[in-house]
Amino acid sequence: MKIDKNYSNFLNSVNQAKPGYAHESKKTEQPAKKQANVEVNISKEAQALLDADQVDISEKVKSIKAAIQNGEYEVDASKISSELVRTIQTQKEQ
């Protein structure tokens, strides 16, 4: 079987299109920028507020989970629908 030049050119173009194949566009890539280290200090008061808020949220989540498991959790459809309408109106204004 004889392979002509056109077929070889075709194979070369296919190989160049494969991911990971080194070609000239790779040379133009910019080196990754180094990220600067950032240090954040939180005051003791702010940390206490954050911790207290997390405790409140976890207590709310536990009570909701218990209500769902006991079949006691009720959804207020009118509250949900009014909030949906309010959200849609706010989005239209923007």
Side-chain angles (χ1 to χ4, degrees):
M1 173 188 239
K2 184 178 178 184
I3 299 175
D4 63 359
K5 291 181 182 179
N6 291 334
Y7 185 73
S8 297
N9 290 338
F10 173 75
L11 285 178
N12 287 336
S13 65
V14 169
N15 286 335
Q16 288 178 354
K18 286 183 180 178
Y21 187 84
H23 51 78
E24 289 184 29
S25 67
K26 294 272 186 187
K27 294 178 184 175
T28 61
E29 290 182 5
Q30 298 293 327
K33 291 183 179 179
K34 234 181 185 181
Q35 291 185 355
N37 291 335
V38 177
E39 185 176 325
V40 177
N41 295 316
I42 300 175
S43 69
K44 291 178 183 178
E45 294 83 9
Q47 187 63 46
L49 288 172
L50 180 62
D51 293 342
D53 194 34
Q54 288 175 349
V55 170
D56 289 343
I57 290 172
S58 76
E59 290 299 320
K60 288 179 186 177
V61 169
K62 285 179 186 176
S63 66
I64 291 171
K65 282 184 179 181
I68 291 171
Q69 289 174 347
N70 296 333
E72 300 168 353
Y73 187 77
E74 293 183 20
V75 177
D76 187 355
S78 63
K79 186 175 179 181
I80 291 172
S81 63
S82 64
E83 287 298 316
L84 282 172
V85 169
R86 185 184 64 77
T87 301
I88 291 170
Q89 288 174 340
T90 303
Q91 289 175 351
K92 284 183 178 180
E93 293 171 1
Q94 295 175 354

